[in-house]
Amino acid sequence: FERALAGIDRVAARAALRASLGLRENVVLVVGRLVAQKGLAPLLDAWRRVPDAVRADASLLFVGDGPEAARVDDAARAAAPGEIARLAALPPAEMPALYAAADLMVFPSLGDAWGLVVNEALACGVPVLCSTLAGCVDDLIEPGRTGWRFDPTDVPAAAVAIEGALRCGSRASMGAHARECAKRFGPEAMAGG
């Protein structure tokens, strides 16, 4: 991911993604298999509870396939234009450009042993709003530095967490901390361990 990012123009990637999908200024990614365990239903419920004024310039972009794809597609059709969108799963080689174009990633898992997409987002300098039920949360998410933590089963609190992450003025500066954190879990470091 680090090598791939070196060849990506983040500004151009942001503009291309927004134009191609009709997305709003702030893109919030949700990446992974679209299955119930990933917490998509509570996330969509929480998203609807975020104040309209906060969501007005944000898009929730799902990237993946699975049995819950229809739920996401239905939510996209019911939402205002550009508010919710979905892309089919992409090859790993295309993911760095997608992360580079995003402002925030949400990992709403209801129970994952780890959550590799969190590593990927952090490696690309994207702060993550991460479920407290994901195995990676304690190792990767330093509140206020690499992202935020939330309980995806508490929908009202999840809405507050999403709102807080969207309102955070230091998301861009959190990117450097995110990249440094991800390096601690890179292939060389893990092999050395």
Side-chain angles (χ1 to χ4, degrees):
F1 276 72
E2 192 171 345
R3 285 187 298 273
L5 282 175
I8 295 171
D9 178 342
R10 290 178 97 93
V11 174
R14 285 176 58 87
L17 179 67
R18 283 154 183 75
S20 68
L21 297 175
L23 301 178
R24 298 169 177 179
E25 178 61 27
N26 293 296
V27 173
V28 180
L29 283 179
V30 181
V31 179
R33 292 176 298 120
L34 302 182
V35 296
Q37 178 187 345
K38 296 299 183 180
L40 306 178
L43 172 63
L44 287 166
D45 191 8
W47 181 262
R48 286 187 292 272
R49 293 174 185 229
V50 173
D52 292 342
V54 176
R55 288 192 335 254
D57 70 344
S59 293
L60 189 59
L61 176 58
F62 292 83
V63 181
D65 297 307
E68 293 288 302
R71 178 188 303 273
V72 173
D73 293 342
D74 289 345
R77 281 189 293 277
E83 183 178 351
I84 300 174
R86 182 176 74 86
L87 288 173
L90 297 172
E94 294 181 31
M95 290 305 297
L98 186 66
Y99 285 118
D103 300 285
L104 171 67
M105 189 182 95
V106 177
F107 188 60
S109 175
L110 298 177
D112 268 87
W114 186 255
L116 188 59
V117 295
V118 175
N119 293 70
E120 293 173 353
L122 295 177
C124 293
V126 179
V128 177
L129 178 57
C130 188
S131 165
T132 54
L133 303 177
C136 66
V137 70
D138 291 330
D139 293 309
L140 296 178
I141 304 302
E142 300 171 46
R145 288 181 54 85
T146 62
W148 307 265
R149 301 172 182 188
F150 77 108
D151 179 353
T153 65
D154 183 344
V155 171
V160 170
I162 294 167
E163 178 181 358
L166 286 170
R167 288 185 184 270
C168 179
S170 61
R171 280 194 322 260
S173 66
M174 293 170 73
H177 296 295
R179 284 189 297 277
E180 287 305 312
C181 177
K183 284 181 184 179
R184 295 194 320 252
F185 293 87
E188 295 83 13
M190 297 310 289

